[in-house]
Structures are given as structure tokens and as C-alpha cells.
Amino acid sequence: MKLALASIAAILAAPIAVAQGNVELSAGYTQFDADGADLGAVTGRGTYFFNRYLGAEGEVSIGIDDANVGPGKVELDNSLGAFGVVRAPISERFELFGRAGYATSEFNASVPGLGSASADVDGLAYGVGGKLFLTDKLGIRADVGRYEGDDSEADVFTIGGVVRF
């Protein structure tokens, strides 16, 4: 619940941050490899940089590609995350970054004839990536990460577009 409230606050603050600069918005496709189930999602991110190197990022993913595991089906409902970001500008158009924070993901599983169950995976999330800007404002972002929960974990791969303001 606290993460949801923080995400809403970040979305409401986005117009103010855009007016002040140092904002990036990105959208892309994310592949979750969650304990053997490969799940796809559409992901949106908003990042605010406090200075040239440090920032904060909010992330929302909505599942769009389910996985068949044995006779059952696994699906990602949604995933929310909040991260601290450190970036290393390599050139005017290319930068590397690392991020660490907290993520919560909701999964559903169903087996015909046996029913269904849902689970939340909450915990530490971290990763690294890079951004290549094709113009001053438009670029490509790719990153890899790991989301760790109490009893499960997921490797996460994302590629998409990014716009900086």
C-alpha cells in the first residue's frame, strides 16, 4: 500500500518535475523469468535526477504474456517498484546506470480442475543497464535486473524507448 501511494505521489509530481528538467519517461517490453515461468509485461517508468548522477525512479508493469507451466497457467497481474538510480554518463548520448530498490509483484496461477491461487512477491530489486540517445531527447533503454522475494525470485529484462525532458 505504501508503494502504491508513493507511486501515485510520483505521478502527481511529474508535471512539476518536468517543468524543472532532469526527467526521463520510458516505456517498453519486460520479460520476467520467474521461477521457470517466462512472463511478458508492458512497463512504464518515470525517473527524476536530483543531479547529474543520482536519481529516483518509479516503475509500473502490467502483464500481457502468460506462461504455461505443466498443465497450468501462470500470469503476472502487475508489478510496482521504487528505485534509487546512479548513472554514469559516458558521452553526451550514452550512459550506463545502476538501480536498487523495492518491488512488489502479483502473480496468479491456475490448473484446470484444481483451481487457482495468487501470490505476491515483495522484496529487494536491483539491476544495471544503458541508454543510447539517438537525438537530444529520444533514445533506447535496455536493462537487466533481479527481483528477490521471500521464497521466489525473478530475472527481469527490459528494452524500450526513453524520452528526456
Side-chain angles (χ1 to χ4, degrees):
M1 184 65 175
K2 290 180 185 177
L3 183 60
L5 293 175
S7 298
I8 291 169
I11 290 168
L12 294 175
I16 296 166
V18 169
Q20 296 173 350
N22 298 324
V23 172
E24 292 180 359
L25 299 177
S26 62
Y29 180 80
T30 300
Q31 185 74 30
F32 286 80
D33 181 4
D35 292 335
D38 290 327
L39 306 165
V42 173
T43 299
R45 294 177 174 144
T47 310
Y48 178 77
F49 288 99
F50 306 109
N51 59 40
R52 183 174 165 94
Y53 304 104
L54 300 174
E57 182 168 85
E59 171 182 284
V60 176
S61 297
I62 306 295
I64 60 170
D65 193 14
D66 304 335
N68 293 319
V69 178
K73 181 169 111 174
V74 177
E75 55 189 37
L76 171 71
D77 281 343
N78 62 67
S79 181
L80 302 172
F83 300 88
V85 180
V86 176
R87 67 177 169 180
I90 305 301
S91 72
E92 209 41 49
R93 303 268 172 131
F94 181 69
E95 63 187 50
L96 299 174
F97 64 89
R99 63 189 200 138
Y102 182 85
T104 179
S105 303
E106 294 181 19
F107 297 92
N108 285 318
S110 61
V111 178
L114 295 178
S116 63
S118 62
D120 293 344
V121 176
D122 305 323
L124 178 65
Y126 52 91
V128 296
K131 292 179 255 183
L132 174 64
F133 285 91
L134 307 172
T135 69
D136 287 341
K137 303 230 181 252
L138 300 175
I140 299 168
R141 172 183 169 145
D143 58 88
V144 298
R146 183 138 176 116
Y147 292 10
E148 296 183 354
D150 295 333
D151 295 327
S152 62
E153 56 214 20
D155 293 319
V156 181
F157 309 92
T158 303
I159 188 155
V162 61
V163 177
R164 65 178 163 192
F165 297 89

